Amino acid sequence: MSWPHFQLSADPAAFPAHPPADLSDPAVIAAHDQAAFDAVETMVDHWDRPGWTAQTRAYYWMLTFPNSPALADLALRCQQHLAPLGLDPVPDDGLHITLTRIGPAAALPLSRLDDVISAAVPLLPAAFRLRAVPLAGSRGAVRLTVAPWGPVLALHSALSESMASLGLAPRKPTALFRPHLSLAYNNRPRPAAPVIEAVTPLRGLAPVDLHVQEVQVVELRREDRAYRWNVVKSLPLG
């Protein structure tokens, strides 16, 4: 399927700050992600996020992968190799791609959330396939590249459009979105070099193909040093 072309923008707050040259080629996207991570000098504590507490609850659009044993196996293999670094591994039932935040649960009654869901349904694109490619990272995590970006950007754009119709602005426009799938979160400031050194041999592992057929609205929370959620609604794509 042909996906719309999106013009992505550079953003120093995004990672990578600059988008890849080709949004369709998994090899190009993976190489771009890896080069960006290889240039990181210092990693930061992923959990050091003002405003997040154990009591925080927020609604998000996400892609979750509860029925992908191949992805869970790849994640576990990478996490076991990285275990001596003391990162926080993402549980196999916590693997996800964050799309966009809808808003705090305390400020969005369920009737309002129903409006969000209803507005999104007619705009959702078709189901699609992604390739999860090992292994890169960011300043706060080790993560898989996902590619191609086109269908994920189309989904993000559709969700953003549906939210805007209700006066809900996503925190990031599609032009600044960088799809990724985290495997482990960094939990303290540290030099990046040992993490990059540990990640590099894992780039030889085989990628995993994912069939994305649904998008989820979830109520997200943090438990200890992991993201957990309750699925409010799963919507079929296309």
Side-chain angles (χ1 to χ4, degrees), residues 27-235:
V28 171
I29 297 170
H32 182 76
D33 279 355
Q34 291 166 10
F37 185 49
D38 290 351
V40 172
E41 295 184 355
T42 303
M43 296 187 71
V44 300
D45 183 353
H46 173 84
W47 306 112
D48 184 14
R49 297 187 173 221
W52 268 101
T53 70
Q55 289 72 45
T56 300
R57 303 288 185 274
Y59 294 121
Y60 278 78
W61 288 105
M62 295 199 328
L63 299 176
T64 66
F65 304 95
N67 301 309
S68 181
L71 176 63
D73 288 348
L74 175 60
L76 180 60
R77 186 169 178 184
C78 293
Q79 290 163 351
Q80 288 174 335
H81 180 84
L82 299 172
L85 295 170
L87 304 171
D88 295 325
V90 177
D92 61 358
D93 61 351
L95 297 167
H96 66 280
I97 298 173
T98 301
L99 294 168
T100 189
R101 185 177 186 268
I102 300 170
L108 285 170
L110 289 179
S111 59
R112 181 69 163 160
L113 197 59
D114 286 341
D115 292 341
V116 171
I117 293 168
S118 297
V121 168
L123 300 179
L124 294 177
F128 56 88
R129 294 188 180 275
L130 288 177
R131 179 159 292 177
V133 183
L135 193 61
S138 67
R139 290 178 287 267
V142 171
R143 61 200 205 184
L144 296 170
T145 292
V146 292
W149 280 12
V152 192
L153 295 172
L155 178 55
H156 186 279
S157 178
L159 297 174
S160 298
E161 180 181 344
S162 68
M163 290 167 55
S165 72
L166 299 171
L168 297 170
R171 285 188 166 176
K172 282 191 175 184
T174 301
L176 303 182
F177 182 50
R178 307 288 191 261
H180 62 273
L181 200 164
S182 293
L183 297 186
Y185 295 112
N186 186 55
N187 50 36
R188 59 180 173 85
R190 72 165 90 205
V195 182
I196 296 167
E197 182 179 359
V199 159
T200 300
L202 297 172
R203 293 172 179 169
L205 296 177
V208 168
D209 289 331
L210 305 169
H211 192 193
V212 181
Q213 299 176 285
E214 296 180 323
V215 61
Q216 287 75 37
V217 176
V218 307
E219 184 186 73
L220 188 69
R221 63 189 185 277
R222 275 161 59 167
E223 289 182 1
D224 299 322
R225 293 189 302 215
Y227 291 111
R228 310 302 283 175
W229 60 80
N230 296 323
V231 175
V232 176
K233 186 77 172 179
S234 286
L235 301 179

